[in-house]
Amino acid sequence: DAGVIQSPRHEVTEMGQEVTLRCKPISGHNSLFWYRQTMMRGLELLIYFNNNVPIDDSGMPEDRFSAKMPNASFSTLKIQPSEPRDSAVYFCASSPQGATNYGYTFGSGTRLTVV
Amino acid sequence: QQQVKQSPQSLIVQKGGISIINCAYENTAFDYFPWYQQFPGKGPALLIAIRPDVSEKKEGRFTISFNKSAKQFSLHIMDSQPGDSATYFCAASGQTGANNLFFGTGTRLTVIP
């Protein structure tokens, strides 16, 4: 099993540009989570999906952020337009439904730098 | 509002010593308490987890102690090794219809040789 796969690993972009982060969850996992990690705020849950349906997006900072999960094997997190304060490491995680039994498997993250 | 409070923020321990990280929660609906370990440049990885029907769970050098009445749980790393140097996160989730984990703010552990 290749685990949760995120791309790109690093992204440097200019303020105002659109950024798209990608995630492939573990096959058979039907819950998918997007987290943002910064030194100041730690791990923040942005949004999560169950069976490709967004369940809770209350952590999405503002309308500049959007996430989709068109099928069970792919999700994207888009920031448009990007701002320097969006600089962080973005993690995708997946789990079998019901993290209470299995916990999450995280990807290696995408380090985003907005200049 | 932080659902899970974690301390200390950082910890330095001598090789062979015991590392102790503490967490507290308020939501009595939480019934699953995992710990995650994160090395630089990597995502957090599940280390050990406990449910509130037991007071302690041990896996190798790692032990979770759980105090349901105090709503506290802690991670003990016995015989700490330099390879244990990482950031540790506690977390909690519950049967609330949502299965998202609430994470603590993390503890950066450094084990000195």
Side-chain angles (χ1 to χ4, degrees):
Chain A
D1 191 340
V4 175
I5 300 173
Q6 291 187 245
S7 64
R9 287 279 286 143
H10 302 275
E11 177 80 37
V12 180
T13 191
E14 291 185 347
M15 182 175 62
Q17 295 297 306
E18 177 180 295
V19 175
T20 300
L21 311 182
R22 297 172 174 80
C23 176
K24 177 179 169 54
I26 291 174
S27 178
H29 283 192
N30 48 16
S31 294
L32 183 139
F33 308 83
W34 281 101
Y35 280 86
R36 179 171 67 176
Q37 186 176 39
T38 61
M39 289 295 294
M40 291 296 294
R41 301 173 69 91
L43 275 166
E44 299 176 275
L45 176 65
L46 300 177
I47 185 171
Y48 77 95
F49 297 82
N50 278 351
N51 297 313
N52 312 337
V53 176
I55 302 300
D56 184 355
D57 66 354
S58 60
M60 298 286 261
E62 45 197 277
D63 292 345
R64 298 184 297 106
F65 286 69
S66 62
K68 293 182 179 180
M69 193 165 186
N71 57 62
S73 59
F74 184 65
S75 177
T76 60
L77 177 68
K78 185 178 293 186
I79 308 172
Q80 166 64 16
S82 57
E83 297 182 2
R85 59 190 169 129
D86 302 330
S87 297
V89 181
Y90 291 81
F91 287 104
C92 174
S94 70
S95 78
Q97 191 158 357
T100 53
N101 291 324
Y102 299 100
Y104 296 1
T105 301
F106 281 82
S108 295
T110 295
R111 181 174 294 276
L112 173 64
T113 303
V114 183
V115 298
Chain B
Q1 182 183 0
Q2 195 70 33
Q3 295 267 5
V4 179
K5 297 182 180 179
Q6 183 172 349
S7 64
Q9 190 171 14
S10 62
L11 181 62
I12 300 174
V13 173
Q14 293 276 356
K15 178 182 176 182
I18 302 174
S19 303
I20 302 174
I21 304 170
N22 300 300
C23 286
Y25 64 98
E26 287 297 324
N27 189 340
T28 56
F30 287 155
D31 66 352
Y32 175 69
F33 303 89
W35 285 87
Y36 283 77
Q37 181 187 54
Q38 184 181 25
F39 293 106
K42 302 291 187 182
L46 180 63
L47 182 63
I48 185 173
I50 197 169
R51 290 188 167 279
D53 53 347
V54 296
S55 60
E56 186 176 281
K57 183 173 182 179
K58 184 176 181 179
E59 290 184 3
R61 297 184 292 107
F62 299 89
T63 299
I64 300 178
S65 297
F66 186 82
N67 186 329
K68 187 174 181 178
S69 60
K71 292 185 285 186
Q72 295 175 347
F73 58 111
S74 60
L75 176 69
H76 292 64
I77 306 174
M78 310 301 289
D79 186 26
S80 299
Q81 299 296 312
D84 298 330
S85 298
T87 300
Y88 293 82
F89 294 91
C90 61
S93 69
Q95 300 287 355
T96 60
N99 63 342
N100 53 305
L101 282 170
F102 295 93
F103 283 89
T105 50
T107 297
R108 178 172 289 186
L109 171 66
T110 303
V111 181
I112 300 172

